Amino acid sequence: LPECSGSWGLSCLVGQPVNLSVRVPADAAKVTWSATDGSGWSAEGASVVHGAFTAPGSHSIAVTVTTADGKKTETLTVKAIDPSVAIEGPNSIDVGQAATFRVLPTSGALLSGARSGDIRWFVDGRPAGEGATLKLSPRQRGKLSVVAELPIDACGQTVRATGSLYSAVNAVPSVE
C-alpha cells in the first residue's frame, strides 16, 4: 500500500509535486505507476514524484507491482486542492488591547479530519500559538505580521494564510 494513506487517499496542492511511494515485497521485480486520466504520465520505482496536477479535483493513479507470483494493480486517488484562506481580525488596535484572529477558509477542502488545534499561528515569523483562534495584546507600537498555517491532509501538507497585517497603534489622547 502507498505510504501516508489511510484508505488509499491522499491530498496535494494544485501545482505542487506529489511524492508517491508504495511498500513492496522483497521479491518485487518491478513497480510501475501510471495516470488513469489519459495524460500519459508514468514512472517506475517504489518511490516516485508526480510532477503536479494543474487542476483541482480527484485524480486516479494506478500502481502495478510485479512479483514472481504475477502482477497486482491498485488505484490511488489523489485529491488536488487549490485552497484559499484568509485571516479575520482587526486592522488596527490600541497598544495593550486584546485582538482575536481566526482563519476563514474561502475555497478548497481544508481541515478534513483535522482538529482546530492543528492550526498553528505565527507573529512576525515566530510561533505564537495553536488552535482555532489567536489572541494578541501588543505591548508596543508597530506592525505585526500574523500568519496561520492549516493542515490539509493527514500526511502533513499545509497551507498558509499570509499577507494579513495587524497594526498596533497608540490610542489618540482625548483633548478637553
Side-chain angles (χ1 to χ4, degrees):
L1 293 176
E3 299 283 333
C4 191
S5 174
S7 61
W8 266 114
L10 173 64
S11 298
C12 67
L13 297 175
V14 169
Q16 296 295 312
V18 182
N19 295 315
L20 302 169
S21 62
V22 64
R23 292 182 198 162
V24 296
D27 68 340
K30 187 175 184 181
V31 179
T32 305
W33 300 81
S34 59
T36 61
D37 61 3
S39 67
W41 176 83
S42 65
E44 289 187 14
S47 295
V48 298
V49 175
H50 182 284
F53 294 105
T54 58
S58 294
H59 304 275
S60 295
I61 296 177
V63 59
T64 302
V65 177
T66 305
T67 64
D69 296 336
K71 292 182 180 182
K72 181 177 181 185
T73 301
E74 297 279 346
T75 301
L76 167 68
T77 300
V78 178
K79 185 175 184 181
I81 61 173
D82 192 9
S84 174
V85 294
I87 297 175
E88 179 181 74
N91 290 328
S92 63
I93 190 168
D94 294 338
V95 171
Q97 286 188 327
T100 301
F101 294 87
R102 69 183 181 109
V103 173
L104 300 174
T106 56
S107 72
L110 291 175
L111 300 174
S112 60
R115 301 176 315 263
S116 62
D118 294 333
I119 299 172
R120 295 187 298 168
W121 291 90
F122 300 87
V123 175
D124 288 343
R126 295 184 179 149
E130 295 179 354
T133 61
L134 173 70
K135 291 186 180 182
L136 283 179
S137 295
R139 295 188 177 137
Q140 59 188 18
R141 291 183 60 172
K143 283 193 169 189
L144 301 173
S145 172
V146 177
V147 175
E149 186 176 78
L150 294 82
I152 59 170
D153 68 11
C155 301
Q157 299 246 13
T158 60
V159 65
R160 285 180 158 221
T162 59
S164 295
L165 294 176
Y166 168 82
S167 300
V169 297
N170 283 331
V172 177
S174 60
V175 178
E176 296 183 33

